Amino acid sequence: SNMRKIAIIGSGIAGLVLGNFLREFNLNFKIFETKKEINPHEGYGIQLSTNSIKILNKIGFNKFDKDKFFNPKKVCFKSLNNQKLISEININTFNNENELYTCLRRPSLLKFLSKDLSEFIKFDKYVTNLEHSENKIKINFRDGSSENFDFLVIATGMDSNAKKFVCENSTNPHYSDSIAIRATFKDDLKIIDKENISLFLGNNAHLVTYPINKNQDLNAVLITKLQVEKDPYYKWRYSEEEQKLISSTLNEKLYIHNKDFKYIFEKRFNWWPINIDKNFAHPKFKNVFVIGDALFSNLPTLAQGAAQAIESAFEVSNYFRAADYFDLQSYYRRRIKRLNLIDRRTRINYFIFHLSNPFLILIRNIFLKFFSKNKFFLNQYLGKVYKTSW
């Protein structure tokens, strides 16, 4: 069974996690990446809930350099207007001894995930076409080369060229009317909690800050509604008009409430439109798998993007390990059920975080105070996401 050849397209979190498991099982695989290298720059933060840490520990994450990550204990809900605490959730409830909610820089995670995979990753490989014939898949690359595989895993993230050759209804994600503005900063601010995740809830906007290492670096993301013309991403990204729009958005959504917020985004920030999927990518062939954001991307209000990439990579790795027969249907049934559950919650969260009616805000804050202490509710709402069966 070792002779089966597996191709993974994409060397993001999903592709690399899968690669690590396939390497452990001594399977025959290659990872193809469009870019010339794995994104090396000191990038932004990500949050990994315990469901994903449990999986990462199987490939040695428990030996990862302790200075390069941070384990927050609480999520603190605050008002963006006056920065006062509304309530807090103790996320320790969901932690186990070796599985703690973890925040770190994305490149630190990518570095860890790619360290044993250098011989398996082929860079500068842009897929121009996929041909399917009797259980084989031929991948054609822009450099004129092509290769045949028995199995294909698409782990390309959201904008995937490869998806359209092998998936039905491979719709492109649509703009969610919101953008994310991100920055990392060193903390000297009274208003920012160095040890925990802070969630500032504002009018059609929310700001999340959290520590990403033991070095007091923090990550900040402002998610705010922004109605723009169709597909804001490519049309005027990096134009002057865009710079003005982003600056005025930061002003009216953030700085107006406290001048100190300026400090977070003053040096440099990055922004992008939040695109989300309407439906799941469904492969036409039973030897094609889709994982991570390529399968489905939802609103980032539950910090599950990376975690779901890791989960789906792990699930698919188990199918390759198991037997000659892969039950693609049951993988999809389980995965889609899980993603639907998470999608519903991200939408509820988005709605709750962005209320602008003063009466509704008052009610929400009362509910938050009550539910953040209610064990039954927390287990239903968060426990179902963080605690998993594997």
Side-chain angles (χ1 to χ4, degrees), residues 195-287:
E195 303 279 311
N196 294 301
I197 301 167
S198 296
L199 204 51
F200 295 89
L201 309 182
N203 185 339
N204 279 325
H206 73 279
L207 173 73
V208 188
T209 64
Y210 54 88
I212 45 177
N213 52 33
K214 303 285 192 295
N215 199 13
Q216 305 224 314
D217 289 312
L218 289 108
N219 188 66
V221 191
L222 177 73
I223 292 178
T224 173
K225 267 208 164 44
L226 187 66
Q227 242 78 31
V228 285
E229 298 160 56
K230 241 175 114 62
D231 198 0
Y233 197 83
Y234 300 105
K235 194 162 171 217
W236 44 278
R237 189 107 206 237
Y238 309 117
S239 68
E240 249 174 69
E241 177 197 356
E242 168 249 27
Q243 292 296 333
K244 279 200 195 93
L245 183 67
I246 302 298
S247 308
S248 70
T249 303
L250 283 167
N251 261 318
E252 69 183 75
K253 295 293 185 193
L254 208 54
Y255 306 159
I256 193 172
H257 302 304
N258 192 321
K259 292 281 184 293
D260 282 355
F261 282 131
K262 268 193 177 153
Y263 178 77
I264 298 176
F265 294 99
E266 71 184 352
K267 293 208 176 51
R268 54 179 289 266
F269 60 79
N270 214 330
W271 78 275
W272 52 88
I274 296 169
N275 291 326
I276 54 175
D277 278 313
K278 279 201 171 87
N279 46 28
F280 300 91
H282 216 290
K284 297 181 220 172
F285 311 107
K286 62 172 189 287
N287 54 352

Side-chain angles (χ1 to χ4, degrees), residues 91-291:
I91 42 182
N92 259 349
T93 334
F94 305 106
N95 287 342
N96 298 323
E97 195 185 344
N98 307 315
E99 295 151 17
L100 305 174
Y101 198 107
T102 301
C103 301
L104 74 172
R105 286 185 191 270
R106 189 169 183 272
S108 308
L109 180 62
L110 292 176
K111 218 176 193 160
F112 161 77
L113 290 173
S114 57
K115 72 179 192 310
D116 298 329
L117 293 177
S118 49
E119 59 185 289
F120 302 96
I121 305 176
K122 309 292 171 227
F123 289 106
D124 215 355
K125 287 295 213 181
Y126 182 88
V127 176
T128 50
N129 192 16
L130 296 170
E131 299 172 48
H132 196 277
S133 63
E134 279 192 66
N135 300 333
K136 288 269 186 232
I137 286 161
K138 183 181 182 189
I139 309 180
N140 299 308
F141 299 102
R142 186 191 277 158
D143 60 16
S145 65
S146 65
E147 275 193 69
N148 290 304
F149 290 90
D150 300 297
F151 295 96
L152 171 68
V153 181
I154 295 183
T156 46
M158 242 186 266
D159 351 293
S160 165
N161 168 48
K163 231 165 41 168
K164 63 174 183 276
F165 300 111
V166 288
C167 290
E168 299 159 15
N169 74 10
S170 164
T171 54
N172 284 335
H174 67 285
Y175 179 50
S176 66
D177 289 336
S178 305
I179 62 166
I181 306 175
R182 293 199 132 176
T184 48
F185 65 104
K186 273 257 196 276
D187 176 85
D188 293 316
L189 303 179
K190 293 241 185 331
I191 50 172
I192 303 292
D193 185 333
K194 287 192 179 84
E195 303 279 311
N196 294 301
I197 301 167
S198 296
L199 204 51
F200 295 89
L201 309 182
N203 185 339
N204 279 325
H206 73 279
L207 173 73
V208 188
T209 64
Y210 54 88
I212 45 177
N213 52 33
K214 303 285 192 295
N215 199 13
Q216 305 224 314
D217 289 312
L218 289 108
N219 188 66
V221 191
L222 177 73
I223 292 178
T224 173
K225 267 208 164 44
L226 187 66
Q227 242 78 31
V228 285
E229 298 160 56
K230 241 175 114 62
D231 198 0
Y233 197 83
Y234 300 105
K235 194 162 171 217
W236 44 278
R237 189 107 206 237
Y238 309 117
S239 68
E240 249 174 69
E241 177 197 356
E242 168 249 27
Q243 292 296 333
K244 279 200 195 93
L245 183 67
I246 302 298
S247 308
S248 70
T249 303
L250 283 167
N251 261 318
E252 69 183 75
K253 295 293 185 193
L254 208 54
Y255 306 159
I256 193 172
H257 302 304
N258 192 321
K259 292 281 184 293
D260 282 355
F261 282 131
K262 268 193 177 153
Y263 178 77
I264 298 176
F265 294 99
E266 71 184 352
K267 293 208 176 51
R268 54 179 289 266
F269 60 79
N270 214 330
W271 78 275
W272 52 88
I274 296 169
N275 291 326
I276 54 175
D277 278 313
K278 279 201 171 87
N279 46 28
F280 300 91
H282 216 290
K284 297 181 220 172
F285 311 107
K286 62 172 189 287
N287 54 352
V288 176
F289 293 79
V290 186
I291 60 176

Side-chain angles (χ1 to χ4, degrees), residues 18-29:
L18 178 56
N20 276 281
F21 280 107
L22 297 184
R23 181 179 161 270
E24 288 216 332
F25 306 153
N26 286 320
L27 295 175
N28 184 351
F29 72 97

